[in-house]
Each structure stands twice: as structure tokens, then as C-alpha cells.
Amino acid sequence: MENLQKLILVLLYGSLILQSFIVLVNPMNVNKKANLFFGLFLFFWSTYWILDILAICMLPVTEHAAKFVYFLQIFTPILLYASVVLFINPNRKFKKIDLCCCVIPVVYLVLLLFFWENEVCRKLALFINISQNLLYLSFIYYKIRKHQKRIETISSNTEINLQWLIKLTFLLLITITITVGYELYNIFIQKTQDNFLMDLLFLFIVYITTYYTLRQKEIYPLDEQQRKELLAVELEEEMPGDKKKLLTDAEFEVFKEKLLALMEAEKPYLDGELNLIKLAKQMSMNPHQLSYLINNGFNENFFQFVNKYRVERAKALLLDENENKFSLVGIAYEAGFNSKTSFNTIFKKVTHQTPSEFRKKHSTL
């Protein structure tokens, strides 16, 4: 069992180091700023196990070296938070308010340097080191959920959002909660060195993280001007108050009819990567105007408007006996969806049935 635990530690540490290198190199060439901080997060995350690895290698660690490692660990959730902020808004600039993130590291550093010999202060420092993860993970989960609502104003494809980060954050939130309880037990009740199950759980999360980071897509267009336009529309939607009128009444009705005709004739919704800029270009409008038209003319956001057509197309394919040769995945792609998962989710949300339930029900009529 002891040797197995050592193997788990080596796999855990090695996997994090390798993954941090891959993300920092960024062979996918996507979300560059965000992946820089995400790669640093993975590297700093590995420091939670570096002392164990050095012990396995029977290499001595001085007290000052150990304190330095502990200090690096305090920045782990901060780097993850910074990466999520940049995934959500790649154009975000540093602000003075961001210096608030330095408060906990400064307090922690003071405890490390001047009060480490005091047992109570040492326990407080260790508790801060672990529990601040819960604070940042909660912020991250809230920010991504908020972003998921906003991105529907500019994109028709749910696969380009941060669903993978939601899953990772949720897993980390559960695991860190367990870890906090475990460490509190260690600190205040009974010290135990049996971390096998915890390390095994973290190893599972690391491999899940590797899977999702290597499959991530560029969230916003690489073209800087297009990115600015989409971000401007996305952020504008959450601003309170009445929205500025972007079209005259006459223009509004003309463009509304033109949009309906375009959706029926050209079927742009069959493009799985359709976004606000692409459709606005076909409409000879700017993205702000198109977003205004859809919101006020149909009481829907861009995502809802486009996927409504995709669902209707999918329903027609499901009911067409000549199309029975298509699997559900085939129908999903034929209707403009990018995956079976998004197809099932959106179809059920609109029709209150899964595609397979819809096909089965109507095939018996």
C-alpha cells in the first residue's frame, strides 16, 4: 500500500508538471492569455505534492525551502481565478481593485516569516492555505455561470462556452471541501498521514482536467476587431436600464421581415459556428443592431432564436421516413448542432422531450 501511494504521488505530480508545460506551450493556439495563467495554475498546483516527491527521492528540504513552497501554494487559486477571468473576457486589463487578491498572500507571508513557530499561528496559516481555495472556487463558479448566460447573446453554439471549466470547478469545489474537512480533522483532532484516497481523487481530477484542456476551443474570434464587437454586445446586455433605440420603427419592421426571410431561404442556422457577427454580415447590419432586433422583435436572445430553427429542422428530419437512415448524431449535425449533447439538451428544453422520445412517440402514430 505504501508503494502504491508513492506511485500515485509520482503520477499526480508528474501529470501536473507535464500538463502545465503543454498548456503553457499552447499547441492548440487558443485562448492564449487565459491559458498562460491556467498553465501557471497547474504548475503552482503541483507544489502541493513537491515536498512528498522530494521525500520519496530522499532529498533533504530546509525549513526556508519548505516555507517558500508553502508561499507559492497560496497563489494557486488566484492564478485559476485570473485564467477564468481571461477566458471570459480576453481583453480585460489589470485594475487597481485586483490588488485585493494580494491581501491573503500578504497575511499568509507574515504568518510564515514571523509566527511559524507559534502552533496556533501555524495552524491558522495552514487553514488559510487550504480554505481560501473554497472562496476563489465559489467566485469562479459564479462568474462562469454568469458568463454562460451572457454568451447566449452572441453565439449559437453552446460547445464554445466554458462548460469544461464548470465541470472542473465543480469537481474541485467538492474535493477542496472534503480536503478542508480532512485538514481540520488533522489540525484540531488527530494527525494522520494517510492521504491515499485524497491523492487518488486529485489524480482523477488531474486527468479529467487534461482531457478538457486539450479539447478546448477558442471562445471568441481571433480577429481583434470582431472580438471587441462581440464582447461589447455581450457586456452591454447586462447593463441595467432601458436600452438605446438602435433602429427606427420603419427600419425595425423591414429588418425583421428580412431576417425571417433569410432564416427560411438561406438557413444560416445550419452553420454550427454561427455567431452574431456572421449573421449580422448577412443582414447588412452591425452586431448591436441585430442583437437589438432579435431581443425586441422576438423576445429571445441570439442563442434561443437560432436554436429554435435548428430544433424545427431536427423535428422535420426525425419525422421524415426517408431520413430514418440517419442516427441521432447524424440528425444533430444535419440540423446545425455541433454535438449530440447540445442537441439533446436544447431539443428537450424546447420540446420537453428528448429526440429519441420524440421519434418514438411520432413513429407509433
Side-chain angles (χ1 to χ4, degrees):
M1 180 60 74
E2 183 181 346
N3 289 333
L4 182 59
Q5 185 167 2
K6 288 179 180 179
L7 175 63
I8 296 297
L9 286 170
V10 171
L11 288 173
L12 183 53
Y13 180 74
S15 298
L16 281 170
I17 292 295
L18 178 60
Q19 190 182 348
S20 68
F21 173 76
I22 292 172
V23 174
L24 286 171
V25 172
N26 197 1
M28 305 83 70
N29 200 32
V30 295
N31 308 310
K32 292 181 180 179
K33 290 182 182 178
N35 275 315
L36 171 62
F37 282 92
F38 194 75
L40 290 173
F41 153 71
L42 293 169
F43 178 77
F44 276 60
W45 190 14
S46 71
T47 62
Y48 281 90
W49 291 276
I50 191 172
L51 296 179
D52 292 321
I53 296 298
L54 292 174
I56 291 172
C57 297
M58 292 183 289
L59 295 174
V61 179
T62 65
E63 183 180 344
H64 292 301
K67 286 182 179 179
F68 178 70
V69 171
Y70 293 146
F71 184 60
L72 290 181
Q73 291 172 3
I74 205 72
F75 292 98
T76 305
I78 297 174
L79 289 167
L80 178 60
Y81 179 78
S83 71
V84 169
V85 167
L86 288 169
F87 273 120
I88 291 171
N89 183 357
N91 292 342
R92 190 182 187 279
K93 304 296 182 183
F94 175 79
K95 299 177 182 177
K96 289 183 179 179
I97 194 171
D98 295 329
L99 291 173
C100 293
C101 294
C102 296
V103 174
I104 292 179
V106 169
V107 172
Y108 185 70
L109 181 61
V110 171
L111 291 173
L112 273 180
L113 294 179
F114 303 109
F115 301 98
W116 192 248
E117 302 305 321
N118 183 292
E119 185 178 356
V120 174
C121 291
R122 185 167 65 253
K123 288 180 177 180
L124 176 61
L126 292 172
F127 178 70
I128 289 173
N129 188 351
I130 298 167
S131 61
Q132 76 147 352
N133 289 281
L134 286 176
L135 177 66
Y136 277 100
L137 286 170
S138 300
F139 286 155
I140 288 167
Y141 193 80
Y142 169 76
K143 270 193 166 292
I144 298 175
R145 280 297 187 194
K146 192 175 180 182
H147 164 75
Q148 285 184 308
K149 293 294 181 183
R150 289 207 318 258
I151 204 169
E152 290 186 359
T153 64
I154 63 171
S155 173
S156 65
N157 179 12
T158 58
E159 296 300 306
I160 68 164
N161 65 23
L162 298 178
Q163 189 64 34
W164 67 276
L165 262 180
I166 277 281
K167 293 175 182 176
L168 172 61
T169 304
F170 187 69
L171 281 172
L172 284 172
L173 197 56
I174 292 173
T175 307
I176 295 299
T177 302
I178 295 171
T179 305
V180 169
Y182 177 78
E183 291 298 329
L184 285 174
Y185 179 84
N186 276 343
I187 294 170
F188 297 107
I189 300 177
Q190 181 180 350
K191 182 67 177 176
T192 174
Q193 297 296 329
D194 186 15
N195 300 327
F196 176 75
L197 292 178
M198 294 301 303
D199 292 334
L200 194 60
L201 180 58
F202 274 114
L203 182 62
F204 169 74
I205 292 175
V206 168
Y207 285 141
I208 290 292
T209 305
T210 303
Y211 173 76
Y212 283 117
T213 52
L214 293 179
R215 295 179 71 248
Q216 65 176 286
K217 296 181 180 180
E218 182 69 52
I219 297 177
Y220 296 96
L222 291 173
D223 182 89
E224 190 66 25
Q225 185 57 38
Q226 289 187 351
R227 177 181 292 177
K228 286 181 179 178
E229 286 187 63
L230 288 180
L231 283 168
V233 174
E234 184 183 329
L235 296 173
E236 189 179 81
E237 289 300 316
E238 65 176 7
M239 294 176 62
D242 295 331
K243 300 294 186 292
K244 182 181 177 182
K245 193 172 183 179
L246 300 179
L247 296 168
T248 65
D249 291 340
E251 288 175 329
F252 188 90
E253 291 303 322
V254 169
F255 278 117
K256 186 176 179 180
E257 292 300 321
K258 182 179 178 180
L259 178 58
L260 290 172
L262 177 71
M263 296 300 284
E264 292 295 335
E266 302 294 331
K267 296 181 172 54
Y269 55 85
L270 296 180
D271 175 6
E273 303 297 333
L274 184 67
N275 61 33
L276 193 66
I277 285 182
K278 286 185 178 181
L279 189 56
K281 189 175 181 180
Q282 293 181 56
M283 286 287 295
S284 301
M285 305 172 72
N286 67 53
H288 292 270
Q289 291 175 323
L290 179 58
S291 180
Y292 175 84
L293 176 66
I294 293 173
N295 292 343
N296 294 278
F298 302 93
N299 293 316
E300 295 171 328
N301 59 36
F302 181 78
F303 176 86
Q304 293 165 337
F305 177 76
V306 173
N307 281 290
K308 174 181 65 180
Y309 281 91
R310 289 175 177 167
V311 168
E312 290 303 314
R313 171 67 175 163
K315 285 164 69 175
L317 291 172
L318 288 166
L319 295 176
D320 190 342
E321 293 183 2
N322 295 324
E323 303 294 346
N324 280 340
K325 62 180 183 291
F326 280 118
S327 64
L328 290 179
V329 176
I331 288 175
Y333 286 115
E334 283 291 311
F337 294 98
N338 273 3
S339 72
K340 185 179 177 181
T341 302
S342 62
F343 174 42
N344 285 334
T345 302
I346 297 167
F347 192 94
K348 187 170 184 179
K349 189 173 183 179
V350 174
T351 66
H352 306 293
Q353 299 175 82
T354 64
S356 55
E357 289 171 346
F358 180 87
R359 173 182 263 178
K360 184 177 180 181
K361 178 180 177 181
H362 288 83
S363 65
T364 57
L365 294 180

